[in-house]
Amino acid sequence: MEKKKNNKSLQKSNSFWNKTLAWINENQRLLIGFGIGLLLGLFIMIVTEDEEIATLKDGTQPVVTLKDHTITADDLYSDMKNYYGVNILVNTIDKLILDEKYPETDEMLKELETTAERWYQTYETYYQTSKEDFLANNGFKSHKDFIEYLKLDYRRNEAVEDYIKKEITDKEIQEYYDKEVYGDVNTKHMLVKPDTNDKMTDEEKETKKKEALNLAKEIIAKLNTGKSFDEVKEEYKDKITYEELSFQSYNANLDKAYLNEMKNLEVNTYSKTPVESSYGYHIVYKIAQKEKPSLEDVKSDILDTLYEQKIQKNSKLYTETLFKIREKNELKFEDSVLKEKYETYKTNALKKA
């Protein structure tokens, strides 16, 4: 059970990082300004912290003084409201909503440390710069500051996932269970890989794929003569890759085509046509299958799958859910300027999603 939990956590972490990498590829020019929102937020926290601050006669609080001028907290608020107000405000709202609901844990910190290291490695690959350069170029004073920034995104992801999962109906769960879930299957297979490389032309690659397909068909023809799977495997051992996968679940991290084949085959039968995957052509043999698990045993996994499907199907769902979460917490504006800016921000965010 613990191993399954760890695998689930790893898959979740990898999913989060894959989305991050996709974002990096689409937004490389934006990376340099990555940390500005955090820095401005920290500055507001500093100037508004519950420490003793001098107060002028009119009740305003000075932040910076020059020879003949004084910048007050009200001045700063007015300027920042006009230029950066919405981004800082949204981050502050989300922190207030989510920090307490999703307290810091060792698992969270471990995942964030892994994510940070991947950011550093990716930045080094794209720009040939060090970890220190990444932090400095993006406005972070230290690794710790960067981790604090990542915590908010982590908590947002958790909140969105929880919110969407609560909206998934029992009917949806039951339908998925009836249609997609089956008992764990033990298979072995022979894989014929096309002998291609990146230097080949498309025509050359296509020729090699046809050769691999024909060899897979030849292997099946040998099986059809009555030879055993193991006998044929030995005969073609120099031309194939052989593997026994042991028992795999319906949602195993396998190519979809392979999963479908192992589901549909009868026990002690093999593929009658080659099964094409991203690796090549498989001839699958189904060794055994366990009983279908109960709905209760797989309900959590089904929710994970349905959540991922909904996110992938609707590109706006993540952003829409964040706005719903704020509204559920009775978000109200006392400042009409910020209210208008927030509505504009919302409209633009949903258009870009």
Side-chain angles (χ1 to χ4, degrees):
M1 190 72 178
E2 184 64 29
K3 182 178 179 182
K4 188 173 184 181
K5 181 180 179 182
N6 291 337
N7 287 339
K8 180 178 174 182
S9 177
L10 178 61
Q11 290 173 2
K12 190 173 183 180
S13 177
N14 287 337
S15 176
F16 172 74
W17 179 243
N18 288 336
K19 293 174 184 176
T20 303
L21 280 178
W23 184 89
I24 294 172
N25 288 328
E26 295 173 3
N27 299 277
Q28 290 181 49
R29 295 182 181 180
L30 300 179
L31 286 174
I32 299 300
F34 186 46
I36 191 170
L38 174 65
L39 289 178
L40 289 168
L42 291 174
F43 186 67
I44 286 181
M45 289 169 63
I46 291 170
V47 300
T48 59
E49 207 164 341
D50 292 334
E51 295 181 358
E52 190 172 326
I53 302 176
T55 303
L56 300 178
K57 290 181 178 179
D58 61 1
T60 59
Q61 295 174 332
V63 177
V64 176
T65 59
L66 299 170
K67 182 179 179 181
D68 298 317
H69 302 280
T70 299
I71 300 176
T72 68
D74 286 349
D75 295 330
L76 184 64
Y77 167 74
S78 179
D79 288 340
M80 294 185 79
K81 178 173 68 175
N82 288 328
Y83 292 100
Y84 304 109
V86 175
N87 290 329
I88 295 173
L89 178 64
V90 169
N91 286 347
T92 303
I93 290 170
D94 289 352
K95 278 181 64 63
L96 288 171
I97 294 172
L98 304 176
D99 281 11
E100 185 175 350
K101 187 173 182 180
Y102 299 97
E104 184 178 298
T105 64
D106 290 341
E107 182 183 357
M108 177 194 294
L109 291 176
K110 183 178 180 180
E111 186 169 330
L112 294 181
E113 288 291 343
T114 300
T115 300
E117 288 302 323
R118 283 171 168 170
W119 270 102
Y120 302 147
Q121 292 168 13
T122 302
Y123 210 80
E124 181 177 359
T125 300
Y126 277 110
Y127 302 108
Q128 290 75 52
T129 56
S130 66
K131 167 183 173 180
E132 289 70 25
D133 289 331
F134 168 84
L135 293 170
N137 291 340
N138 291 292
F140 298 104
K141 292 187 293 184
S142 65
H143 172 73
K144 183 179 178 181
D145 284 344
F146 185 37
I147 293 296
E148 288 300 315
Y149 181 92
L150 292 175
K151 280 181 187 177
L152 180 57
D153 272 347
Y154 182 96
R155 287 173 167 134
R156 280 172 173 157
N157 290 335
E158 292 290 305
V160 168
E161 183 172 343
D162 287 347
Y163 189 97
I164 292 173
K165 282 182 177 180
K166 286 179 181 178
E167 293 195 327
I168 295 174
T169 65
D170 290 340
K171 181 181 178 181
E172 289 177 281
I173 295 170
Q174 185 68 52
E175 286 179 351
Y176 185 90
Y177 174 77
D178 293 340
K179 183 179 179 181
E180 302 293 341
V181 178
Y182 51 88
D184 292 359
V185 178
N186 186 10
T187 60
K188 54 187 177 182
H189 70 113
M190 288 180 269
L191 169 63
V192 183
K193 298 180 180 180
D195 186 19
T196 59
N197 60 64
D198 293 338
K199 294 181 180 179
M200 289 181 174
T201 64
D202 290 342
E203 185 177 347
E204 290 172 330
K205 290 179 181 179
E206 192 60 34
T207 298
K208 291 296 182 181
K209 282 187 65 177
K210 288 181 180 178
E211 290 175 359
L213 176 58
N214 288 333
L215 178 57
K217 289 179 178 179
E218 180 183 321
I219 291 171
I220 292 173
K222 277 286 176 68
L223 291 170
N224 290 340
T225 65
K227 285 191 173 184
S228 72
F229 202 85
D230 289 340
E231 286 175 333
V232 176
K233 177 252 296 184
E234 284 300 315
E235 184 177 343
Y236 287 89
K237 64 182 179 181
D238 295 331
K239 297 179 180 180
I240 58 132
T241 299
Y242 172 79
E243 185 180 18
E244 185 171 329
L245 295 184
S246 72
F247 282 98
Q248 301 290 322
S249 64
Y250 72 94
N251 61 349
N253 188 25
L254 296 171
D255 192 281
K256 184 66 175 176
Y258 193 100
L259 282 172
N260 287 336
E261 184 72 355
M262 76 179 204
K263 172 187 177 182
N264 295 326
L265 282 173
E266 296 292 331
V267 173
N268 294 324
T269 64
Y270 57 87
S271 304
K272 296 303 185 287
T273 58
V275 179
E276 184 178 4
S277 76
S278 56
Y279 301 101
Y281 298 96
H282 305 259
I283 302 94
V284 183
Y285 186 94
K286 188 168 184 174
I287 301 170
Q289 182 169 9
K290 296 180 180 180
E291 292 293 322
K292 181 174 180 174
S294 69
L295 175 57
E296 192 62 32
D297 286 341
V298 294
K299 186 173 182 179
S300 176
D301 292 333
I302 292 175
L303 281 170
D304 288 340
T305 301
L306 292 176
Y307 164 73
E308 288 294 336
Q309 288 179 354
K310 288 177 180 291
I311 286 290
Q312 291 169 11
K313 186 177 180 180
N314 180 0
S315 63
K316 295 183 179 182
L317 183 57
Y318 182 92
T319 305
E320 289 172 345
T321 303
L322 283 174
F323 284 109
K324 288 179 181 179
I325 290 171
R326 295 175 195 127
E327 290 163 8
K328 285 279 187 179
N329 282 269
E330 301 179 9
L331 175 63
K332 296 179 182 178
F333 287 89
E334 305 298 334
D335 187 306
S336 59
V337 174
L338 279 179
K339 180 178 180 180
E340 182 179 347
K341 287 180 176 293
Y342 181 79
E343 292 302 323
T344 301
Y345 165 83
K346 180 178 179 179
T347 300
N348 292 337
L350 292 175
K351 281 182 180 179
K352 292 178 183 178

